[in-house]
Every structure is written in C-alpha cells, then in structure tokens.
Amino acid sequence: MKFFIDTANLSQIKEANELGILDGVTTNPTLMAKEGIKGKEAILKHYKDICDIVQNPVSAEVFSTNLNDIIEEGKALAAIDKHIVVKVPMIKDGIKAIKWFTENGIKTNCTLVFSAGQAILAAKAGATYVSPFLGRIDDGNWDGVELISQIAHIYHIQNFKTNILAASIRNSLHIVRCAEAGADVCTCPLPSILGLLKHPLTDIGLTQFFS
Ligand code: G3P
C-alpha cells in the first residue's frame, strides 16, 4: 500500500517526505484554504512547490462543476507539472470529464466517493484513483473500511485498474485497517502516519536497552 499525505502544508509534506516512505500528496480546497492559499496564481504556484518537494503524484482539485470548466481547469492544473493528478468530484459532469482526461492522457482522482456504485462509475470512466472518504462514512455510523473492502473485491473480480485511494483518514488504526482491506493507497494526515511509530513497549524496551 502506498502512503500519500493529505495536506497542503509544505513543512508537513517535507517532514513526511524525509521519512522516506512518502509516495504522493493529496489536497482539496479546504486544505488549501487552511494554508491561506487563495487566488488562481497562488494556488498553481503552491501545487508546483509541492511537486518540487515530492516528485510523486500530487492530487490537485478542480473547483468547477460543469464539464467544459472542469476540463479547462484540469488542463491548466496538469500543465503545472508531470506529477499532477486532476482531482474531480463524483458528479455526472465529473464522470464525463474523467473520461475525457483519460482519453487525453491526464491522470485523475475521483473524489467524494461514498458508495461502491460510485466507485464502479469512476473505474468505468478510467479514473487513475478513486477516493472513498472512510472517516466521513464512520461519522454517519457506517463502517468506512467495509466500503474499501467492497470496492477492492469488486475491482479485483472485474479486473478494474483504478487504484483505491482511501481518504478521510482520521487515525493510525484506519491506516492499518485500510492495508488489511486492500487499499492501494492511503492518504493520511501527518499525525496518523507518525502514530504508526508508537508503541509503549517500544518505549519501555528503549529505556531498558539504553539506561
Ligand atoms: O482526503 C479527504 C480528506 O481531506 C477529508 O478529510 O477529515 O475532512 O473527512 P475529512
């Protein structure tokens, strides 16, 4: 399973990258706004800065919701750097746009996915990645990891090539359960990645060995 970091914060991206286990970055408009990045030029420059750090796939989300605008925005994003993956919402025009991007050699991440049916549509359109938001499913008293398992099963028996990118990760256990469920990628906040390091017996063992 690949590890992406889910942030637009450059110092967190650098910290995860320096661990040597980072395979990419995902962002969304909320995460960009959190870093105070506003306006088209600033946003495009920020994506370039991220690509320069990681040299791995970087998901950049479109703001538009109609086909022509999604395509124009996606083309501009893809022109920033060869590592850009255009992130498109799971809506009717989004599916049409994903199909267009696929036919024109632009990688895509279909976002805001909450059901297996949506994941099937994303795969049929040729999405490079599909992003089920498991934390938000958990918020509604459903088991988000179950959806990851269901999509993994369907993609396997149907031989779909779309990568399952588990998103809306809220803790380290989510990462472990996504690995068990067959996610291809887990995109995580930095604290959830660093939480994987922790075990009290490791701390106790260290104290015993070195004191
Ligand atoms: O990867 C999607 C993510 O940024 C959404 O996370 O915690 O707002 O559901 P959250």
Side-chain angles (χ1 to χ4, degrees), residues 30-110:
T30 307
L31 295 172
M32 292 296 272
K34 207 169 152 190
E35 299 309 313
I37 314 296
K38 290 182 194 139
K40 190 177 168 190
E41 293 311 313
I43 288 174
L44 297 185
K45 181 182 177 305
H46 200 73
Y47 282 133
K48 181 63 183 159
D49 291 343
I50 294 173
C51 290
D52 288 344
I53 296 169
V54 298
Q55 298 289 301
N56 263 317
V58 173
S59 286
E61 187 157 347
V62 298
F63 286 80
S64 307
T65 51
N66 72 77
L67 180 60
N68 288 339
D69 290 346
I70 294 173
I71 288 175
E72 286 314 307
E73 213 184 316
K75 283 195 301 192
L77 290 168
I80 298 171
D81 190 283
K82 66 178 180 183
H83 295 101
I84 289 287
V85 175
V86 179
K87 201 168 173 188
V88 180
M90 166 46 73
I91 54 176
K92 193 191 277 185
D93 277 17
I95 287 298
K96 291 180 190 172
I98 288 169
K99 181 77 179 168
W100 188 93
F101 288 131
T102 304
E103 288 170 352
N104 287 275
I106 293 175
K107 292 187 172 151
T108 53
N109 174 356
C110 184

Side-chain angles (χ1 to χ4, degrees), residues 6 26 28 31 87 133 136 167-168 170 187:
D6 193 32
T26 55
N28 62 38
L31 295 172
K87 201 168 173 188
F133 274 33
R136 293 191 192 187
S168 184
R170 302 280 175 75
T187 189

Side-chain angles (χ1 to χ4, degrees), residues 112-199:
L112 289 170
V113 165
F114 295 91
S115 75
Q118 291 177 323
I120 290 171
L121 271 183
K124 288 291 291 176
T128 316
Y129 301 95
V130 65
S131 289
F133 274 33
L134 69 91
R136 293 191 192 187
I137 293 173
D138 285 2
D139 290 343
N141 295 317
W142 293 76
D143 185 354
V145 177
E146 281 299 314
L147 176 61
I148 305 292
S149 301
Q150 187 185 17
I151 297 170
H153 176 65
I154 291 169
Y155 280 12
H156 177 68
I157 61 174
Q158 296 296 335
N159 204 24
F160 286 135
K161 302 297 178 207
T162 297
N163 292 280
I164 303 168
L165 194 167
S168 184
I169 297 293
R170 302 280 175 75
N171 54 58
S172 305
L173 182 58
H174 269 157
I175 301 175
V176 174
R177 292 194 67 214
C178 282
E180 283 180 320
D184 299 291
V185 187
C186 208
T187 189
C188 326
L190 184 60
S192 301
I193 297 175
L194 297 179
L196 294 172
L197 288 164
K198 292 181 192 158
H199 197 287

